[in-house]
Amino acid sequence: MQNITFTVPKGRTLGIVGESGSGKTTLLRCLLGLITPQAGTIELLGQNPSRLKGQALRNLRRKVQFVYQNPHVSFDPRYSALKALEEPLINSGLHHRAQRRKLIDDVLQKVRLSPTLLARKVSALSGGQAQRLALARALLCQPEILILDEVVSALDVSIQSEILTLLENLQKDLGLTYIFVSHDLSVIKRLSHEVLILKNGEQIEYGKTEQIFSKPMTDYTKRLIASIPGLTSSPPNSRKP
C-alpha cells in the first residue's frame, strides 16, 4: 500500500470504498496494529498502534473497537446473548454480576434490543439482532472509535436502514468516530462525512462526501458512482460536522 493519507476528526465518519483487492482489509489491519506498515505512520488517539505492546496495546484496542460484516462469526455460537455481552466485562475485571447486568441493560437500550433476547443463543438471533448485539458488545468497552467492516452488506434493505439510523444516532449521542468500509456507495454517501477511494493499494481520491459524489476527480471514481442504480450527484443527507 502507498500514498494513503487521511485524518478522521472526532465524531465524524470516514467512508472507505474499493473493489475486492483494493487494500481495504490491509488498511484496517494496519489501523488495528496487526500489520506494521513498511513506511509512514499511523496515529490513533495520539498513539501508533504498531509501536505498542502488552497492556498499552490492549488499552488502545478497547478504545478502538472492530465490528465485523458477519456478526455471528465474532460470537461463540454456544453462548447466550447475555454471556456474549458479559465476556468483555469479565475480561476487563468487572466480576460483580449486578454491575455487569446494569451496564448490559443500559447498552441494550442504546442499540434498541429487548432484554428478553439475552437468554437466547446468539446463533438463534436474526442478522439484524446479531449486528445490534455486536454493536452492544463493542459499546460496552466504551470506545472512542468504531471500525465498521461492511456491517450492513449482509442485511435486508429495510434492516440496513435501521442499522444505519442506529449508527447515526449513536454517533450523535456518544460522539463516536467511525471508519466505515463498504462497497455500497449509497451507504457510504448516507453515513460518511469524508470518503477515501482505494484501488490496487493506492489512494485514488479523498475528500468531503459532497465533493466526491458531485465532482469526482478521477475516471475510476466516476465509474464507481455511475454503477450505482438510482444514485444521484446530490449532496449527502445533510449530515453536519
Side-chain angles (χ1 to χ4, degrees):
M1 302 189 71
Q2 55 186 340
N3 302 324
I4 296 176
T5 303
F6 62 87
T7 300
V8 191
K10 178 178 174 60
R12 293 175 71 88
T13 299
L14 173 70
I16 301 178
V17 180
E19 298 171 318
S20 179
S22 63
K24 301 189 301 296
T25 299
T26 300
L27 177 57
L28 295 187
R29 290 174 65 84
C30 289
L31 292 175
L32 292 168
L34 301 175
I35 296 176
T36 300
Q38 295 180 345
T41 59
I42 292 173
E43 186 174 291
L44 286 174
L45 303 176
Q47 300 182 82
N48 186 336
S50 64
R51 295 180 179 175
L52 300 179
K53 295 181 180 180
Q55 188 62 45
L57 182 57
R58 288 191 290 273
N59 289 340
L60 179 62
R61 285 180 174 165
R62 288 194 188 98
K63 297 178 182 178
V64 183
Q65 289 290 301
F66 191 95
V67 183
Y68 293 88
Q69 174 181 2
N70 181 355
H72 286 106
V73 303
S74 61
F75 295 122
D76 188 323
R78 299 168 297 178
Y79 281 10
S80 67
L82 176 60
K83 188 172 182 180
L85 293 179
E86 282 189 317
E87 186 176 44
L89 296 176
I90 293 172
N91 290 342
S92 66
L94 186 58
H95 299 294
H96 194 285
R97 181 176 297 178
Q99 291 178 339
R100 292 199 303 267
R101 184 55 190 263
K102 175 63 167 61
L103 291 173
I104 288 170
D105 286 344
D106 288 346
V107 80
L108 287 179
Q109 186 174 13
K110 286 184 175 70
V111 301
R112 306 294 189 265
L113 270 182
S114 170
T116 60
L117 293 178
L118 291 175
R120 295 171 59 181
K121 297 285 188 183
V122 293
S123 57
L125 299 179
S126 70
Q129 290 169 338
Q131 198 59 277
R132 289 174 186 267
L133 190 73
L135 287 169
R137 187 171 67 172
L139 293 177
L140 283 170
C141 296
Q142 297 183 320
E144 297 182 39
I145 298 172
L146 289 185
I147 298 178
L148 305 154
D149 187 13
E150 299 277 10
V151 294
V152 296
S153 64
L155 304 175
D156 293 338
V157 173
S158 61
I159 305 301
Q160 280 189 14
S161 182
E162 291 178 7
I163 296 297
L164 292 175
T165 298
L166 173 62
L167 288 171
E168 290 168 342
N169 291 336
L170 289 172
Q171 185 172 62
K172 179 181 178 181
D173 294 342
L174 303 177
L176 295 168
T177 302
Y178 295 152
I179 298 174
F180 191 95
V181 174
S182 179
H183 68 278
D184 188 334
L185 268 72
S186 61
V187 169
I188 290 290
K189 185 180 183 183
R190 170 174 173 176
L191 199 67
S192 303
H193 298 97
E194 286 82 32
V195 178
L196 172 67
I197 309 289
L198 295 178
K199 181 184 180 184
N200 298 328
E202 284 195 73
Q203 178 175 309
I204 298 300
E205 199 158 350
Y206 167 63
K208 295 189 181 301
T209 303
E210 179 178 352
Q211 170 194 327
I212 295 293
F213 280 88
S214 63
K215 297 180 180 179
M217 301 295 293
T218 68
D219 289 339
Y220 179 73
T221 304
K222 292 175 184 177
R223 288 197 300 270
L224 286 178
I225 294 173
S227 69
I228 306 301
L231 192 63
T232 68
S233 60
S234 59
N237 64 349
S238 68
R239 284 171 53 76
K240 301 296 184 183

mmCIF file with all atom_site columns, all heavy atoms in Angstrom, residues 67-85:
data_model
loop_
_atom_site.group_PDB
_atom_site.id
_atom_site.type_symbol
_atom_site.label_atom_id
_atom_site.label_alt_id
_atom_site.label_comp_id
_atom_site.label_asym_id
_atom_site.label_entity_id
_atom_site.label_seq_id
_atom_site.pdbx_PDB_ins_code
_atom_site.Cartn_x
_atom_site.Cartn_y
_atom_site.Cartn_z
_atom_site.occupancy
_atom_site.B_iso_or_equiv
_atom_site.pdbx_formal_charge
_atom_site.auth_seq_id
_atom_site.auth_comp_id
_atom_site.auth_asym_id
_atom_site.auth_atom_id
_atom_site.pdbx_PDB_model_num
ATOM 1   N N   . VAL A 1 67 ? -16.094 -3.991  14.333 1.00 0.00 ? 67 VAL A N   1
ATOM 2   C CA  . VAL A 1 67 ? -17.375 -4.681  14.149 1.00 0.00 ? 67 VAL A CA  1
ATOM 3   C C   . VAL A 1 67 ? -17.360 -5.323  12.766 1.00 0.00 ? 67 VAL A C   1
ATOM 4   O O   . VAL A 1 67 ? -17.145 -4.643  11.761 1.00 0.00 ? 67 VAL A O   1
ATOM 5   C CB  . VAL A 1 67 ? -18.577 -3.732  14.293 1.00 0.00 ? 67 VAL A CB  1
ATOM 6   C CG1 . VAL A 1 67 ? -19.884 -4.510  14.169 1.00 0.00 ? 67 VAL A CG1 1
ATOM 7   C CG2 . VAL A 1 67 ? -18.523 -3.009  15.640 1.00 0.00 ? 67 VAL A CG2 1
ATOM 8   N N   . TYR A 1 68 ? -17.628 -6.632  12.730 1.00 0.00 ? 68 TYR A N   1
ATOM 9   C CA  . TYR A 1 68 ? -17.465 -7.421  11.511 1.00 0.00 ? 68 TYR A CA  1
ATOM 10  C C   . TYR A 1 68 ? -18.699 -7.373  10.613 1.00 0.00 ? 68 TYR A C   1
ATOM 11  O O   . TYR A 1 68 ? -19.812 -7.069  11.046 1.00 0.00 ? 68 TYR A O   1
ATOM 12  C CB  . TYR A 1 68 ? -17.186 -8.880  11.864 1.00 0.00 ? 68 TYR A CB  1
ATOM 13  C CG  . TYR A 1 68 ? -15.870 -9.116  12.548 1.00 0.00 ? 68 TYR A CG  1
ATOM 14  C CD1 . TYR A 1 68 ? -15.766 -9.030  13.931 1.00 0.00 ? 68 TYR A CD1 1
ATOM 15  C CD2 . TYR A 1 68 ? -14.731 -9.431  11.816 1.00 0.00 ? 68 TYR A CD2 1
ATOM 16  C CE1 . TYR A 1 68 ? -14.558 -9.255  14.577 1.00 0.00 ? 68 TYR A CE1 1
ATOM 17  C CE2 . TYR A 1 68 ? -13.518 -9.663  12.450 1.00 0.00 ? 68 TYR A CE2 1
ATOM 18  C CZ  . TYR A 1 68 ? -13.437 -9.566  13.826 1.00 0.00 ? 68 TYR A CZ  1
ATOM 19  O OH  . TYR A 1 68 ? -12.241 -9.788  14.462 1.00 0.00 ? 68 TYR A OH  1
ATOM 20  N N   . GLN A 1 69 ? -18.471 -7.758  9.351  1.00 0.00 ? 69 GLN A N   1
ATOM 21  C CA  . GLN A 1 69 ? -19.553 -7.884  8.383  1.00 0.00 ? 69 GLN A CA  1
ATOM 22  C C   . GLN A 1 69 ? -20.584 -8.908  8.834  1.00 0.00 ? 69 GLN A C   1
ATOM 23  O O   . GLN A 1 69 ? -21.783 -8.652  8.819  1.00 0.00 ? 69 GLN A O   1
ATOM 24  C CB  . GLN A 1 69 ? -18.990 -8.295  7.021  1.00 0.00 ? 69 GLN A CB  1
ATOM 25  C CG  . GLN A 1 69 ? -20.055 -8.593  5.967  1.00 0.00 ? 69 GLN A CG  1
ATOM 26  C CD  . GLN A 1 69 ? -19.436 -9.026  4.645  1.00 0.00 ? 69 GLN A CD  1
ATOM 27  O OE1 . GLN A 1 69 ? -18.223 -9.139  4.507  1.00 0.00 ? 69 GLN A OE1 1
ATOM 28  N NE2 . GLN A 1 69 ? -20.279 -9.268  3.665  1.00 0.00 ? 69 GLN A NE2 1
ATOM 29  N N   . ASN A 1 70 ? -20.114 -10.072 9.239  1.00 0.00 ? 70 ASN A N   1
ATOM 30  C CA  . ASN A 1 70 ? -20.996 -11.132 9.718  1.00 0.00 ? 70 ASN A CA  1
ATOM 31  C C   . ASN A 1 70 ? -20.869 -11.218 11.229 1.00 0.00 ? 70 ASN A C   1
ATOM 32  O O   . ASN A 1 70 ? -19.884 -11.756 11.738 1.00 0.00 ? 70 ASN A O   1
ATOM 33  C CB  . ASN A 1 70 ? -20.627 -12.466 9.077  1.00 0.00 ? 70 ASN A CB  1
ATOM 34  C CG  . ASN A 1 70 ? -21.544 -13.604 9.519  1.00 0.00 ? 70 ASN A CG  1
ATOM 35  O OD1 . ASN A 1 70 ? -22.405 -13.420 10.375 1.00 0.00 ? 70 ASN A OD1 1
ATOM 36  N ND2 . ASN A 1 70 ? -21.359 -14.770 8.939  1.00 0.00 ? 70 ASN A ND2 1
ATOM 37  N N   . PRO A 1 71 ? -21.835 -10.701 11.978 1.00 0.00 ? 71 PRO A N   1
ATOM 38  C CA  . PRO A 1 71 ? -21.684 -10.661 13.433 1.00 0.00 ? 71 PRO A CA  1
ATOM 39  C C   . PRO A 1 71 ? -21.598 -12.047 14.063 1.00 0.00 ? 71 PRO A C   1
ATOM 40  O O   . PRO A 1 71 ? -20.987 -12.205 15.125 1.00 0.00 ? 71 PRO A O   1
ATOM 41  C CB  . PRO A 1 71 ? -22.943 -9.920  13.892 1.00 0.00 ? 71 PRO A CB  1
ATOM 42  C CG  . PRO A 1 71 ? -23.936 -10.132 12.804 1.00 0.00 ? 71 PRO A CG  1
ATOM 43  C CD  . PRO A 1 71 ? -23.141 -10.165 11.533 1.00 0.00 ? 71 PRO A CD  1
ATOM 44  N N   . HIS A 1 72 ? -22.190 -13.053 13.423 1.00 0.00 ? 72 HIS A N   1
ATOM 45  C CA  . HIS A 1 72 ? -22.192 -14.381 14.022 1.00 0.00 ? 72 HIS A CA  1
ATOM 46  C C   . HIS A 1 72 ? -20.776 -14.957 14.160 1.00 0.00 ? 72 HIS A C   1
ATOM 47  O O   . HIS A 1 72 ? -20.517 -15.734 15.068 1.00 0.00 ? 72 HIS A O   1
ATOM 48  C CB  . HIS A 1 72 ? -23.082 -15.325 13.215 1.00 0.00 ? 72 HIS A CB  1
ATOM 49  C CG  . HIS A 1 72 ? -24.550 -15.069 13.399 1.00 0.00 ? 72 HIS A CG  1
ATOM 50  N ND1 . HIS A 1 72 ? -25.328 -14.468 12.430 1.00 0.00 ? 72 HIS A ND1 1
ATOM 51  C CD2 . HIS A 1 72 ? -25.390 -15.313 14.441 1.00 0.00 ? 72 HIS A CD2 1
ATOM 52  C CE1 . HIS A 1 72 ? -26.578 -14.368 12.871 1.00 0.00 ? 72 HIS A CE1 1
ATOM 53  N NE2 . HIS A 1 72 ? -26.634 -14.864 14.079 1.00 0.00 ? 72 HIS A NE2 1
ATOM 54  N N   . VAL A 1 73 ? -19.859 -14.556 13.264 1.00 0.00 ? 73 VAL A N   1
ATOM 55  C CA  . VAL A 1 73 ? -18.506 -15.114 13.340 1.00 0.00 ? 73 VAL A CA  1
ATOM 56  C C   . VAL A 1 73 ? -17.730 -14.545 14.522 1.00 0.00 ? 73 VAL A C   1
ATOM 57  O O   . VAL A 1 73 ? -16.705 -15.103 14.914 1.00 0.00 ? 73 VAL A O   1
ATOM 58  C CB  . VAL A 1 73 ? -17.720 -14.870 12.037 1.00 0.00 ? 73 VAL A CB  1
ATOM 59  C CG1 . VAL A 1 73 ? -18.452 -15.440 10.841 1.00 0.00 ? 73 VAL A CG1 1
ATOM 60  C CG2 . VAL A 1 73 ? -17.416 -13.391 11.828 1.00 0.00 ? 73 VAL A CG2 1
ATOM 61  N N   . SER A 1 74 ? -18.186 -13.434 15.088 1.00 0.00 ? 74 SER A N   1
ATOM 62  C CA  . SER A 1 74 ? -17.478 -12.829 16.211 1.00 0.00 ? 74 SER A CA  1
ATOM 63  C C   . SER A 1 74 ? -17.968 -13.335 17.558 1.00 0.00 ? 74 SER A C   1
ATOM 64  O O   . SER A 1 74 ? -17.433 -12.953 18.603 1.00 0.00 ? 74 SER A O   1
ATOM 65  C CB  . SER A 1 74 ? -17.599 -11.304 16.158 1.00 0.00 ? 74 SER A CB  1
ATOM 66  O OG  . SER A 1 74 ? -18.943 -10.889 16.239 1.00 0.00 ? 74 SER A OG  1
ATOM 67  N N   . PHE A 1 75 ? -18.984 -14.207 17.543 1.00 0.00 ? 75 PHE A N   1
ATOM 68  C CA  . PHE A 1 75 ? -19.532 -14.770 18.779 1.00 0.00 ? 75 PHE A CA  1
ATOM 69  C C   . PHE A 1 75 ? -19.325 -16.278 18.812 1.00 0.00 ? 75 PHE A C   1
ATOM 70  O O   . PHE A 1 75 ? -19.363 -16.946 17.770 1.00 0.00 ? 75 PHE A O   1
ATOM 71  C CB  . PHE A 1 75 ? -21.043 -14.505 18.879 1.00 0.00 ? 75 PHE A CB  1
ATOM 72  C CG  . PHE A 1 75 ? -21.422 -13.056 18.997 1.00 0.00 ? 75 PHE A CG  1
ATOM 73  C CD1 . PHE A 1 75 ? -22.264 -12.467 18.072 1.00 0.00 ? 75 PHE A CD1 1
ATOM 74  C CD2 . PHE A 1 75 ? -20.950 -12.282 20.044 1.00 0.00 ? 75 PHE A CD2 1
ATOM 75  C CE1 . PHE A 1 75 ? -22.629 -11.135 18.172 1.00 0.00 ? 75 PHE A CE1 1
ATOM 76  C CE2 . PHE A 1 75 ? -21.304 -10.953 20.157 1.00 0.00 ? 75 PHE A CE2 1
ATOM 77  C CZ  . PHE A 1 75 ? -22.146 -10.375 19.223 1.00 0.00 ? 75 PHE A CZ  1
ATOM 78  N N   . ASP A 1 76 ? -19.133 -16.814 19.997 1.00 0.00 ? 76 ASP A N   1
ATOM 79  C CA  . ASP A 1 76 ? -19.172 -18.261 20.179 1.00 0.00 ? 76 ASP A CA  1
ATOM 80  C C   . ASP A 1 76 ? -20.627 -18.688 20.054 1.00 0.00 ? 76 ASP A C   1
ATOM 81  O O   . ASP A 1 76 ? -21.477 -18.248 20.839 1.00 0.00 ? 76 ASP A O   1
ATOM 82  C CB  . ASP A 1 76 ? -18.628 -18.626 21.564 1.00 0.00 ? 76 ASP A CB  1
ATOM 83  C CG  . ASP A 1 76 ? -18.462 -20.132 21.757 1.00 0.00 ? 76 ASP A CG  1
ATOM 84  O OD1 . ASP A 1 76 ? -19.321 -20.888 21.248 1.00 0.00 ? 76 ASP A OD1 1
ATOM 85  O OD2 . ASP A 1 76 ? -17.509 -20.541 22.420 1.00 0.00 ? 76 ASP A OD2 1
ATOM 86  N N   . PRO A 1 77 ? -20.972 -19.549 19.066 1.00 0.00 ? 77 PRO A N   1
ATOM 87  C CA  . PRO A 1 77 ? -22.380 -19.903 18.851 1.00 0.00 ? 77 PRO A CA  1
ATOM 88  C C   . PRO A 1 77 ? -23.019 -20.620 20.030 1.00 0.00 ? 77 PRO A C   1
ATOM 89  O O   . PRO A 1 77 ? -24.241 -20.694 20.127 1.00 0.00 ? 77 PRO A O   1
ATOM 90  C CB  . PRO A 1 77 ? -22.323 -20.809 17.613 1.00 0.00 ? 77 PRO A CB  1
ATOM 91  C CG  . PRO A 1 77 ? -20.923 -21.336 17.585 1.00 0.00 ? 77 PRO A CG  1
ATOM 92  C CD  . PRO A 1 77 ? -20.064 -20.235 18.125 1.00 0.00 ? 77 PRO A CD  1
ATOM 93  N N   . ARG A 1 78 ? -22.188 -21.131 20.949 1.00 0.00 ? 78 ARG A N   1
ATOM 94  C CA  . ARG A 1 78 ? -22.728 -21.818 22.124 1.00 0.00 ? 78 ARG A CA  1
ATOM 95  C C   . ARG A 1 78 ? -23.166 -20.834 23.205 1.00 0.00 ? 78 ARG A C   1
ATOM 96  O O   . ARG A 1 78 ? -23.884 -21.212 24.138 1.00 0.00 ? 78 ARG A O   1
ATOM 97  C CB  . ARG A 1 78 ? -21.673 -22.769 22.699 1.00 0.00 ? 78 ARG A CB  1
ATOM 98  C CG  . ARG A 1 78 ? -21.224 -23.858 21.741 1.00 0.00 ? 78 ARG A CG  1
ATOM 99  C CD  . ARG A 1 78 ? -19.989 -24.558 22.265 1.00 0.00 ? 78 ARG A CD  1
ATOM 100 N NE  . ARG A 1 78 ? -18.858 -23.621 22.360 1.00 0.00 ? 78 ARG A NE  1
ATOM 101 C CZ  . ARG A 1 78 ? -17.659 -23.961 22.837 1.00 0.00 ? 78 ARG A CZ  1
ATOM 102 N NH1 . ARG A 1 78 ? -17.442 -25.195 23.269 1.00 0.00 ? 78 ARG A NH1 1
ATOM 103 N NH2 . ARG A 1 78 ? -16.688 -23.056 22.896 1.00 0.00 ? 78 ARG A NH2 1
ATOM 104 N N   . TYR A 1 79 ? -22.746 -19.585 23.077 1.00 0.00 ? 79 TYR A N   1
ATOM 105 C CA  . TYR A 1 79 ? -23.038 -18.592 24.101 1.00 0.00 ? 79 TYR A CA  1
ATOM 106 C C   . TYR A 1 79 ? -24.475 -18.091 23.975 1.00 0.00 ? 79 TYR A C   1
ATOM 107 O O   . TYR A 1 79 ? -25.016 -17.966 22.884 1.00 0.00 ? 79 TYR A O   1
ATOM 108 C CB  . TYR A 1 79 ? -22.105 -17.391 23.966 1.00 0.00 ? 79 TYR A CB  1
ATOM 109 C CG  . TYR A 1 79 ? -20.723 -17.571 24.520 1.00 0.00 ? 79 TYR A CG  1
ATOM 110 C CD1 . TYR A 1 79 ? -20.266 -18.819 24.927 1.00 0.00 ? 79 TYR A CD1 1
ATOM 111 C CD2 . TYR A 1 79 ? -19.854 -16.491 24.624 1.00 0.00 ? 79 TYR A CD2 1
ATOM 112 C CE1 . TYR A 1 79 ? -18.990 -18.975 25.431 1.00 0.00 ? 79 TYR A CE1 1
ATOM 113 C CE2 . TYR A 1 79 ? -18.576 -16.636 25.123 1.00 0.00 ? 79 TYR A CE2 1
ATOM 114 C CZ  . TYR A 1 79 ? -18.144 -17.887 25.525 1.00 0.00 ? 79 TYR A CZ  1
ATOM 115 O OH  . TYR A 1 79 ? -16.881 -18.023 26.022 1.00 0.00 ? 79 TYR A OH  1
ATOM 116 N N   . SER A 1 80 ? -25.043 -17.765 25.114 1.00 0.00 ? 80 SER A N   1
ATOM 117 C CA  . SER A 1 80 ? -26.262 -16.960 25.103 1.00 0.00 ? 80 SER A CA  1
ATOM 118 C C   . SER A 1 80 ? -25.866 -15.521 24.811 1.00 0.00 ? 80 SER A C   1
ATOM 119 O O   . SER A 1 80 ? -24.697 -15.138 24.938 1.00 0.00 ? 80 SER A O   1
ATOM 120 C CB  . SER A 1 80 ? -26.967 -17.032 26.455 1.00 0.00 ? 80 SER A CB  1
ATOM 121 O OG  . SER A 1 80 ? -26.178 -16.397 27.449 1.00 0.00 ? 80 SER A OG  1
ATOM 122 N N   . ALA A 1 81 ? -26.845 -14.708 24.431 1.00 0.00 ? 81 ALA A N   1
ATOM 123 C CA  . ALA A 1 81 ? -26.560 -13.293 24.194 1.00 0.00 ? 81 ALA A CA  1
ATOM 124 C C   . ALA A 1 81 ? -26.016 -12.635 25.463 1.00 0.00 ? 81 ALA A C   1
ATOM 125 O O   . ALA A 1 81 ? -25.122 -11.792 25.400 1.00 0.00 ? 81 ALA A O   1
ATOM 126 C CB  . ALA A 1 81 ? -27.824 -12.579 23.720 1.00 0.00 ? 81 ALA A CB  1
ATOM 127 N N   . LEU A 1 82 ? -26.542 -13.041 26.619 1.00 0.00 ? 82 LEU A N   1
ATOM 128 C CA  . LEU A 1 82 ? -26.056 -12.486 27.890 1.00 0.00 ? 82 LEU A CA  1
ATOM 129 C C   . LEU A 1 82 ? -24.585 -12.811 28.104 1.00 0.00 ? 82 LEU A C   1
ATOM 130 O O   . LEU A 1 82 ? -23.780 -11.934 28.447 1.00 0.00 ? 82 LEU A O   1
ATOM 131 C CB  . LEU A 1 82 ? -26.890 -13.024 29.048 1.00 0.00 ? 82 LEU A CB  1
ATOM 132 C CG  . LEU A 1 82 ? -26.428 -12.598 30.447 1.00 0.00 ? 82 LEU A CG  1
ATOM 133 C CD1 . LEU A 1 82 ? -26.466 -11.083 30.598 1.00 0.00 ? 82 LEU A CD1 1
ATOM 134 C CD2 . LEU A 1 82 ? -27.284 -13.266 31.525 1.00 0.00 ? 82 LEU A CD2 1
ATOM 135 N N   . LYS A 1 83 ? -24.212 -14.070 27.880 1.00 0.00 ? 83 LYS A N   1
ATOM 136 C CA  . LYS A 1 83 ? -22.821 -14.457 28.098 1.00 0.00 ? 83 LYS A CA  1
ATOM 137 C C   . LYS A 1 83 ? -21.893 -13.754 27.116 1.00 0.00 ? 83 LYS A C   1
ATOM 138 O O   . LYS A 1 83 ? -20.775 -13.369 27.469 1.00 0.00 ? 83 LYS A O   1
ATOM 139 C CB  . LYS A 1 83 ? -22.668 -15.968 27.963 1.00 0.00 ? 83 LYS A CB  1
ATOM 140 C CG  . LYS A 1 83 ? -21.276 -16.480 28.358 1.00 0.00 ? 83 LYS A CG  1
ATOM 141 C CD  . LYS A 1 83 ? -21.226 -17.990 28.404 1.00 0.00 ? 83 LYS A CD  1
ATOM 142 C CE  . LYS A 1 83 ? -19.852 -18.467 28.848 1.00 0.00 ? 83 LYS A CE  1
ATOM 143 N NZ  . LYS A 1 83 ? -19.771 -19.957 28.901 1.00 0.00 ? 83 LYS A NZ  1
ATOM 144 N N   . ALA A 1 84 ? -22.359 -13.555 25.886 1.00 0.00 ? 84 ALA A N   1
ATOM 145 C CA  . ALA A 1 84 ? -21.551 -12.856 24.886 1.00 0.00 ? 84 ALA A CA  1
ATOM 146 C C   . ALA A 1 84 ? -21.268 -11.422 25.312 1.00 0.00 ? 84 ALA A C   1
ATOM 147 O O   . ALA A 1 84 ? -20.184 -10.887 25.046 1.00 0.00 ? 84 ALA A O   1
ATOM 148 C CB  . ALA A 1 84 ? -22.260 -12.873 23.539 1.00 0.00 ? 84 ALA A CB  1
ATOM 149 N N   . LEU A 1 85 ? -22.238 -10.782 25.969 1.00 0.00 ? 85 LEU A N   1
ATOM 150 C CA  . LEU A 1 85 ? -22.043 -9.410  26.432 1.00 0.00 ? 85 LEU A CA  1
ATOM 151 C C   . LEU A 1 85 ? -21.270 -9.357  27.744 1.00 0.00 ? 85 LEU A C   1
ATOM 152 O O   . LEU A 1 85 ? -20.553 -8.376  28.006 1.00 0.00 ? 85 LEU A O   1
ATOM 153 C CB  . LEU A 1 85 ? -23.395 -8.718  26.597 1.00 0.00 ? 85 LEU A CB  1
ATOM 154 C CG  . LEU A 1 85 ? -24.184 -8.472  25.313 1.00 0.00 ? 85 LEU A CG  1
ATOM 155 C CD1 . LEU A 1 85 ? -25.509 -7.791  25.633 1.00 0.00 ? 85 LEU A CD1 1
ATOM 156 C CD2 . LEU A 1 85 ? -23.389 -7.643  24.316 1.00 0.00 ? 85 LEU A CD2 1
#
